Amino acid sequence: MVRTVSQTIKIWILMNKKDSGVIPRLTSYFLFGFILTQLWQPTTGADDISDADRPIPLISVEGVLKQQGKLPCDIRVPTHDDRLHMVLWFRNNGEPIYRYDVRSNPISEAKRWSDVGERVYFQSMSDPAHLLISNLRLEDEGLYICRVDFRNSPTRNLRINLTIIVPPNKPVIYDANGVTSQNIGPYNEGSDLLLTCEVYGGRPKPRVSWWLENAMIDDSWVDRKDGALVNHLKFSPLHRHHLNARFVCLASNTNQTLPQSTVAILNLNLRPLSVSITTKDTNLLADKRYDIECISTGSRPPASITWWKNNKQIKKSPQNPTTDDKNVTRNILNLIPVIEDDGKILTCRSENQFILASAVEDRWRLNVQYSPRVTMQLGSNLIPDDIKEGVDVYFECIVKSNPASIRLSWFHEDRELRHNVSQRVIMSNTRLVLQKITRHSAGGYYCSAYNSEGLAQSNVVQLRVKYVPICKSTTEELIGAMRHETIVVRCEMSADPPNVTFFWTFNNSGGEVSSIMNSRFTSSGTVSMFNYTPVADVDFGTLICWGSNPIGQGTGEPCHFQIVQAGRPFPPRNCSIHNETEDSLNLSCHEGFNGGLSQHFILEVVDTQAKKIRFNSSSTIPLFTVETMEPGVPFKFIIYATNTKGHSDPVTIDGVTFRGVAKYTGSTGGGVGLNPFYALLVITSLVLVVFLTLSIIAIWKRSRRKKPPVVKAHIRRESENTFQSAEATPTKIEQNGLEDIGDPDVIPSKNGGLRGFIRIHKTPPAKRRKKNLEVKQNGETVALTQETSVINNSFFLHAFTNRNLKS
């Protein structure tokens, strides 16, 4: 307020200097008094001196570029009956950049606002509180003001001067030749080491020093005109224990981060002492891989080991040498000998290339045996990328073997091929010819040859066959949909090349065929997606999808999608019982069409004797487990599918009976004694059964001998002189209650009459017995012969046989 009053007085003095009249000067006095009256008002809870007039404390904070910076701010409440209201952060006396507001919320639910994004976050729970700035930038450097408002206490301000420290760049180490590398050398033992370390950047300028492992060996550096800080190191002499020593150049300008460092590892040259081939087999097989090891000792850095065959260096690069702390260098040659190598001298030579006349050698005479060497290639006049369906191709198998190969075989995708002219597969000496190939001919081909030394397989040659797009699915897809329901129809083609251009047509239920515009479907590679929404009955029909590629248009094998109106599901199919035990079993079926809606399956197990459902179950897949069922009871299994439109027709499995197990609860001793009474009872029963059986057979034979004569009836029609059999017209049987046939297996015929209700069983003539029946034919009583048969101790009425009628 004092500052405001002083500024008002200055303005009034300037106004009086400009005005010269009496009236204007009186007016200025009046205004000056009014303004002072309004400004000089006592404020409740304020000190005589405004917080803005108090000196604001200043602290300095350093932050590292690209690291996190912390700006402290004291937000502790001066008195116990006061509380924090708000914390405002300003930068360079400008507008607020961050606000932390807890006037109406607890500290855990403080309102935060940031003008600089998510890089700034106020951490109020630390002591003191900090404004965290992540990923510091150079433009973040400057003066920050933290203003803390309390409910009762005066506002507290704090100035923080943030200085950004720029770390130096990573040091670069050069050797005497100006080469930079992590591995320096090799240097000969006893020589001097000259290294240079250069460091650029950094604010403030860093300190550059050399270290050998953990000991400082040089701390002198110079500031070059181009801004680089340079430290030259001369270290001498080099001893054997300096092998693989770590020379480190450090550059540091702050303790807040680790110093920048670069490591150089020293290699020394030592003369090899010995060399030896450790694996010398008596015999070698051609075309077989052998790992031949050569060991050299005493050389540092690793000895340069070369392999020679008959004084001619082997140009193939062996495996990289390995070393250990005992100056031992191992090198393995992956040798695949050929027939020409037999009798040649294999030499391992070890030398230090930096020390003259340091080579030592070990020699081995090779003894090579070999099996066939086979190479396969596509016909020389064929272009692999221009092969398509319908052309002829051939392969050549080149075989070198000793002894000569006994058999040559051809394979396609690991399946052996046979000479078959009808299938257009022709084998001639070392050539395989495939005529009029199809897309199924594509894949990997190779040949194999066999002799007394073994079997050899050639390289695999991939045959690519280009063909027009064809539908990947071999069956028509049935899709159910409701009106106004959008379905996604996915059409996938098989094609080579796979860049397919798709075409769609729709054949509705009225027989109209219409093409679908490209804008209504999407395509990617060999897949096209079509969102289809049926609205009326004519929108149900067949969608056809086909494609074309640079080979041609694949109209011969398009994809068909039958769009039907969603309805009841189809019944399950191919139901079978498996894993059957004494009181349980598993039942599985194949799903039928779901009617275009989600479906589930229901199983009901019905006791056919008690006419009750003993078990039911529901499942999303047609797979059921039935357990704890009563043995010996016939059951009927009923399976059907259901969706929101209703149930499918049921699938019924009749006559399912669980076997059960008779449990023996007697003694578990070794033998069971035979009661004489029970033995007599069993023998008597067997005798009675045999006697009754013989009696029944005798009676049956006697009745066959006393068979009455067959009476045949003839009926004359009044309208004609010919005669017809009594079977010509429907006949009613009035004997033995045959009118009431209650067999549920009897199925009425479409022509009506008794014959349609009688199951015909083919029974051998020897097992038939005949009985005279009387039937009424056109008001006359006629004697007929009825044939019956005995099957499984049950009598079934057999079919009437046609007889000739007599006068």
Side-chain angles (χ1 to χ4, degrees), residues 703-738:
S703 63
R704 294 276 295 177
R705 288 194 298 268
K706 295 180 180 181
K707 179 177 61 176
V710 177
V711 179
K712 300 180 180 179
H714 294 79
I715 301 174
R716 182 185 299 273
R717 291 188 177 181
E718 297 178 357
S719 58
E720 55 186 38
N721 295 328
T722 59
F723 292 89
Q724 66 178 3
S725 171
E727 277 185 347
T729 58
T731 306
K732 183 177 181 181
I733 301 177
E734 298 177 348
Q735 186 176 354
N736 297 331
L738 292 178

Side-chain angles (χ1 to χ4, degrees), residues 137-389:
R137 307 170 183 171
L138 286 176
E139 55 266 25
D140 294 333
E141 187 175 74
L143 182 63
Y144 291 80
I145 298 177
C146 174
R147 173 180 165 180
V148 184
D149 293 335
F150 302 97
R151 181 178 62 184
N152 300 323
S153 302
T155 298
R156 181 186 300 155
N157 293 284
L158 178 64
R159 293 184 299 168
I160 303 98
N161 186 26
L162 175 62
T163 302
I164 302 299
I165 295 178
V166 180
N169 295 332
K170 188 177 181 65
V172 180
I173 299 177
Y174 298 94
D175 61 9
N177 298 321
V179 178
T180 175
S181 175
Q182 183 179 3
N183 297 314
I184 56 175
Y187 292 85
N188 292 333
E189 184 179 1
S191 63
D192 297 336
L193 175 64
L194 298 177
L195 296 176
T196 301
C197 179
E198 290 184 357
V199 179
Y200 285 90
R203 191 183 69 173
K205 291 185 177 180
R207 175 185 176 185
V208 182
S209 58
W210 277 102
W211 297 68
L212 176 57
E213 299 298 344
N214 296 323
M216 181 186 295
I217 57 177
D218 193 346
D219 193 23
S220 61
W221 52 273
V222 294
D223 191 353
R224 212 162 55 189
K225 292 182 179 180
D226 60 355
L229 303 178
V230 182
N231 189 329
H232 297 282
L233 173 66
K234 182 178 181 180
F235 187 83
S236 62
L238 293 174
H239 298 286
R240 193 176 186 91
H241 67 269
H242 289 138
L243 174 67
N244 295 327
R246 293 164 50 91
F247 289 84
V248 184
C249 179
L250 296 181
S252 175
N253 61 352
T254 179
N255 293 328
Q256 296 189 26
T257 59
L258 294 175
Q260 295 283 3
S261 63
T262 300
V263 179
I265 301 176
L266 178 65
N267 285 332
L268 291 178
N269 291 334
L270 299 176
R271 181 186 300 273
L273 301 177
S274 64
V275 64
S276 174
I277 300 176
T278 59
T279 53
K280 295 181 180 180
D281 295 341
T282 304
N283 297 323
L284 299 176
L285 295 178
D287 296 331
K288 183 178 179 181
R289 174 174 172 169
Y290 292 89
D291 293 335
I292 311 300
E293 184 183 46
C294 181
I295 297 179
S296 174
T297 62
S299 178
R300 293 291 183 180
S304 175
I305 296 179
T306 55
W307 294 86
W308 302 73
K309 191 185 297 181
N310 273 7
N311 296 323
K312 183 178 180 180
Q313 186 176 357
I314 298 176
K315 298 300 182 181
K316 291 182 180 180
S317 298
Q319 292 186 2
N320 295 329
T322 60
T323 62
D324 55 27
D325 294 336
K326 297 180 180 180
N327 292 347
V328 177
T329 301
R330 290 180 172 85
N331 187 275
I332 297 178
L333 171 66
N334 298 324
L335 178 64
I336 304 178
V338 295
I339 183 174
E340 294 82 4
D341 295 335
D342 187 30
K344 290 184 178 181
I345 301 297
L346 182 66
T347 302
C348 175
R349 180 179 299 174
S350 173
E351 62 181 332
N352 191 321
Q353 56 184 339
F354 299 102
I355 302 177
L356 297 177
S358 62
V360 290
E361 296 179 350
D362 187 23
R363 298 183 178 186
W364 173 34
R365 182 178 295 277
L366 301 178
N367 181 16
V368 179
Q369 299 177 358
Y370 62 96
S371 59
R373 295 181 299 173
V374 189
T375 304
M376 183 175 174
Q377 63 185 17
L378 192 63
S380 57
N381 61 344
L382 296 177
I383 302 176
D385 292 335
D386 290 343
I387 299 175
K388 58 183 179 180
E389 283 188 314

Side-chain angles (χ1 to χ4, degrees), residues 733-740 771-773 786 788 797:
I733 301 177
E734 298 177 348
Q735 186 176 354
N736 297 331
L738 292 178
E739 293 177 326
D740 300 327
K771 182 179 180 180
N772 290 337
L773 297 177
Q786 182 190 31
T788 60
L797 188 61

Side-chain angles (χ1 to χ4, degrees), residues 22 31 46-47 78 136 147 150 159 186 200 226 250 384 399 476 478 507 534 546 576 605 629 722 745 785 789 799:
V22 176
L31 293 175
D47 296 336
L136 284 174
R147 173 180 165 180
F150 302 97
R159 293 184 299 168
Y200 285 90
D226 60 355
L250 296 181
V399 181
E476 178 177 292
L478 189 63
N507 186 0
W546 72 92
S576 61
V605 180
M629 301 302 293
T722 59
D745 292 331
T785 301
S789 62

Side-chain angles (χ1 to χ4, degrees), residues 26 34 42 50 251 302 396 456 547 568 660:
L26 292 175
F34 177 77
S50 174
E396 293 179 339
R568 295 189 308 134

